[in-house]
Amino acid sequence: MARIRRWASAGVLLLILWLLGARPPEAALLRPMAGTPSPALPTLTPSAVPTASPPTPGSRYGLAIVDFRLHPDGPLYAGDRLSFEVEVRNVGRAPLAGGRVEIRRGGPEGEESLAEAALPELAPGASHRVVWTWIWQAPEPGVFPLIAIARGEGAGGAAEARWAQTVTLRPQAALPEIERRARWAQARSRCCTHVYLTGTAAEADLARLMAWADEAEATVRARMGLSVSLPISVVWIPRLLGHGGFAVGDSLILTYPVADRLPVDLPTVLRHEMAHRMTCARIGREDCLGHLPALITEGLAVFIAGGHYRPEPLTQRAAALLRMGGWIPLEELVEDFYAHPHEIGYLEAGAFVEELVREGGWPRFLAFLRSLERRPGESDRTILDRALRDVYHQDIRGIESRWRETLERLPPDPEQAADLRFVWTFFEALRAYQRKYDPSAYFLRAWLPDWRQAAREGIVADFMRAPDSPEGRRAWQDLQAARAQAARGDIAAALAALQALCRALGCSDVAEPAWERPGLPASAKGAKG
């Protein structure tokens, strides 16, 4: 849940603070900086149509635009601040030494260049993504083409690709009232600075959210043995991104409300993201999350939080997973961790950390964390294996073999098996829904621009709007109906509904949800996601 690395701390918040008597204690609006234009928000009705034919298979030089995204998501309005993402891939047989990628706006008077960037050298099959954040303020309402153009140069040839998308800008007067009135505001609790949007549920429930955050921070600090508090900003947004929570630098980005959309417990999510925030400080290594194997960083966050999405008995749940035939060997799971089935990977990782702490105690586990040193060219498997040998005197296979024997001796737990099966299938369906109908919310590619810049400049659309289509709405309603069935205790009906939805959405791991035995799908065994 704590992956996105694009958020840079863009500087100090420039605020004009004024107290609002009707707001929670210490709440203050974050006003745009004087002299900064207050951005209006655009509305795109995307109709993506690549205008260039793909290169002939086997061509020596070939370039393709494989993704072209505009933000904010959902409808666009005159005055919106637009961002662009373009992914370019070398689809030829020869390397490209470099090139340019450009965004142009078409119109009756010709094309206008909006943004341009250089392309690096691209080997055959390699891709490069260019992101321009809030680069252009959309003008008057209307319809116009937006064109992405990529050009690459090789030693003996060149390649070009184009992608055109029709953009519809609605009148600014049509902007929903809640977004028109929304402003960035902040409040201070014991642990954290809370940043939120006025008029949203987070503002209404701010006192409870601050109490939850204070409790989560104190709990995580105590469990990790960290005596000093760290600066933490908790940013509450109504837009559902990923599974509802991200840790980015010193900020936690959390969706609220989330429990009425996903089967999650928000205090558990808070503890998970707080653990990410504190990990590097605990071992005294700056930016350690980008260098340690994700199996360990995510497993530690699950262990400290006491569960993945909700409080869970990790060892008993891991035993249920093993008995159900869904286990992924750790030496496979550690490599490309996020590509494996999400709920299986996080469960195994959390239970594995719990086993290491149970076996050797917390001080020994901290020594293990500090010994995880990445050397040039090393895989996550190599890093993990060396640290395990140094501290626990066994390699990953030996530790896992002994651990699995312990798990196999535990008595069956049908309740954990049923819940695990539901949670895994629900989130597979959610991610399939996001990939198809809301790709900017998908956890590996979530759109998380710098909230500090947004607060300075009064930009709210990227944190509030979501795509809306009849097909997506129906899929979301089916997902929520299954969640409600499970909440009422009818797991069988919920699973049947989720399996039907997964067949329609093309879930990556449950496209054909055949259950080998009560538990996880047979297709999940050893799967890499």
Side-chain angles (χ1 to χ4, degrees), residues 50 65 73 79 85 141 147 150-151 160 162 225 234 240 245 250 255 258 265 272 398 401 408 410 423 443 468 511:
I65 295 175
D73 294 280
E85 290 186 82
I147 305 152
R151 299 182 178 91
E160 179 177 304
R162 288 178 174 245
V234 185
L240 176 60
D250 65 353
T255 296
V258 70
D265 168 66
H272 184 110
S401 175
E408 287 168 355
L410 294 177
V423 169
F443 80 107
D468 186 27

XYZ file of all heavy atoms in Angstrom, residues 50 65 73 79 85 141 147 150-151 160 162 225 234 240 245 250 255 258 265 272 398 401 408 410 423 443 468 511:
208
model
N -5.464 6.175 -31.408
C -4.151 6.330 -32.020
C -4.306 6.649 -33.493
O -5.028 5.963 -34.206
C -3.490 4.962 -31.806
C -4.275 4.327 -30.700
C -5.667 4.860 -30.836
N 3.281 4.984 -29.010
C 2.745 5.567 -27.779
C 1.768 4.546 -27.227
O 0.728 4.278 -27.822
C 2.059 6.916 -28.064
C 3.090 7.935 -28.550
C 1.358 7.432 -26.811
C 2.501 9.257 -28.980
N -9.052 13.232 -13.623
C -9.915 12.230 -14.234
C -11.356 12.706 -14.201
O -11.711 13.626 -13.472
C -9.769 10.904 -13.488
C -8.370 10.327 -13.669
O -8.116 9.730 -14.719
O -7.536 10.502 -12.758
N -10.944 26.162 -17.433
C -10.189 26.653 -16.289
C -9.433 25.576 -15.548
O -8.609 25.884 -14.679
N 0.339 12.430 -19.101
C 1.271 11.301 -18.999
C 1.336 10.625 -20.354
O 0.296 10.278 -20.926
C 0.798 10.272 -17.974
C 0.855 10.695 -16.530
C 0.510 9.532 -15.611
O 1.400 8.702 -15.333
O -0.663 9.435 -15.201
N -14.886 26.812 -22.787
C -15.533 25.523 -23.094
C -15.469 25.219 -24.588
O -15.354 26.111 -25.430
C -16.976 25.732 -22.631
C -16.948 26.914 -21.734
C -15.822 27.781 -22.198
N -3.128 16.077 -29.084
C -2.292 15.155 -29.854
C -0.963 14.958 -29.152
O -0.295 15.926 -28.776
C -2.052 15.704 -31.282
C -3.380 16.006 -31.970
C -1.223 14.720 -32.104
C -3.287 17.092 -32.999
N 5.503 11.476 -30.668
C 6.817 10.996 -30.223
C 7.685 10.755 -31.448
O 7.229 10.167 -32.436
C 6.680 9.712 -29.419
N 8.920 11.228 -31.392
C 9.882 11.025 -32.484
C 11.173 10.479 -31.900
O 11.658 10.983 -30.880
C 10.154 12.332 -33.230
C 8.931 12.942 -33.896
C 9.300 14.214 -34.667
N 8.134 14.778 -35.349
C 7.336 15.688 -34.803
N 7.578 16.127 -33.578
N 6.310 16.162 -35.478
N 8.375 7.602 -35.740
C 7.433 8.581 -35.187
C 6.138 7.877 -34.831
O 5.741 6.895 -35.476
C 7.154 9.697 -36.197
C 6.152 10.729 -35.675
C 5.916 11.874 -36.639
O 6.908 12.537 -37.031
O 4.737 12.087 -37.024
N 1.985 8.867 -33.186
C 1.028 9.899 -32.775
C -0.163 9.242 -32.085
O -0.493 8.095 -32.370
C 0.523 10.706 -33.982
C 1.545 11.649 -34.566
C 0.987 12.374 -35.788
N 1.930 13.374 -36.255
C 1.708 14.687 -36.252
N 0.538 15.147 -35.822
N 2.614 15.533 -36.681
N 9.639 0.498 18.953
C 10.674 0.929 19.876
C 11.317 2.233 19.464
O 12.517 2.445 19.678
N -0.886 13.956 7.449
C -1.913 13.008 7.020
C -2.864 13.771 6.109
O -3.505 14.733 6.533
C -2.679 12.405 8.207
C -3.653 11.336 7.713
C -1.718 11.811 9.223
N -10.923 7.685 -4.123
C -10.393 6.370 -3.789
C -9.236 6.057 -4.713
O -9.401 5.938 -5.931
C -11.468 5.296 -3.929
C -10.976 3.859 -3.702
C -10.406 3.679 -2.300
C -12.084 2.849 -3.966
N -4.703 3.731 0.883
C -3.645 4.357 1.664
C -2.285 4.271 0.993
O -1.948 3.248 0.384
N 7.193 12.044 4.015
C 6.682 12.288 5.361
C 5.162 12.411 5.387
O 4.590 12.840 6.389
C 7.310 13.561 5.943
C 6.905 14.817 5.181
O 6.252 14.709 4.124
O 7.249 15.925 5.649
N -7.645 7.727 1.830
C -9.005 7.960 1.346
C -9.967 7.955 2.521
O -9.906 7.070 3.383
C -9.411 6.859 0.353
O -8.554 6.931 -0.795
C -10.859 7.027 -0.089
N -13.566 5.323 3.543
C -13.115 4.170 2.777
C -13.809 2.883 3.211
O -14.039 1.992 2.398
C -11.571 4.020 2.865
C -11.137 3.601 4.245
C -11.046 3.060 1.811
N -10.341 -1.691 7.627
C -10.436 -1.015 8.918
C -9.446 0.144 8.874
O -8.233 -0.075 8.770
C -10.078 -2.010 10.026
C -9.863 -1.335 11.357
O -10.833 -0.788 11.901
O -8.709 -1.352 11.842
N -0.453 0.741 9.319
C 0.390 0.228 8.235
C 1.227 1.356 7.626
O 2.451 1.231 7.482
C -0.504 -0.409 7.163
C 0.243 -1.052 6.042
N 0.285 -2.413 5.853
C 0.986 -0.522 5.033
C 1.021 -2.696 4.791
N 1.446 -1.556 4.267
N 15.710 -22.934 4.013
C 15.734 -23.639 5.290
C 14.749 -23.050 6.282
O 14.010 -23.786 6.962
N 11.125 -23.846 5.135
C 10.773 -25.252 5.313
C 10.374 -25.529 6.756
O 9.355 -26.182 7.029
C 11.963 -26.135 4.902
O 11.681 -27.489 5.169
N 1.768 -26.243 9.296
C 0.980 -27.437 8.974
C 0.455 -28.142 10.227
O -0.544 -28.870 10.164
C 1.834 -28.397 8.143
C 2.048 -27.907 6.716
C 3.130 -28.698 5.991
O 3.771 -29.560 6.658
O 3.339 -28.454 4.789
N -0.780 -26.597 12.821
C -1.888 -25.838 13.408
C -3.220 -26.420 12.959
O -3.353 -26.878 11.816
C -1.795 -24.365 12.998
C -0.602 -23.581 13.542
C -0.608 -22.161 12.987
C -0.618 -23.565 15.065
N -11.715 -11.855 0.833
C -10.915 -10.632 0.737
C -10.064 -10.644 -0.517
O -9.977 -9.646 -1.245
C -10.042 -10.461 2.002
C -9.009 -9.354 1.810
C -10.919 -10.144 3.206
N -3.234 0.743 -7.959
C -2.233 1.043 -6.942
C -0.812 1.173 -7.482
O -0.013 1.945 -6.946
C -2.294 -0.001 -5.810
C -1.598 -1.304 -6.101
C -0.410 -1.626 -5.487
C -2.149 -2.236 -6.978
C 0.231 -2.831 -5.739
C -1.525 -3.437 -7.236
C -0.318 -3.742 -6.614
N -16.441 8.460 -14.700
C -17.818 8.003 -14.510
C -18.376 7.585 -15.860
O -18.422 8.382 -16.795
C -18.671 9.124 -13.900
C -20.077 8.652 -13.551
O -20.236 7.451 -13.287
O -21.006 9.479 -13.555
N -9.787 -15.226 -13.336
C -10.604 -15.181 -14.539
C -11.480 -16.421 -14.637
O -12.611 -16.371 -15.094
C -9.709 -15.080 -15.772
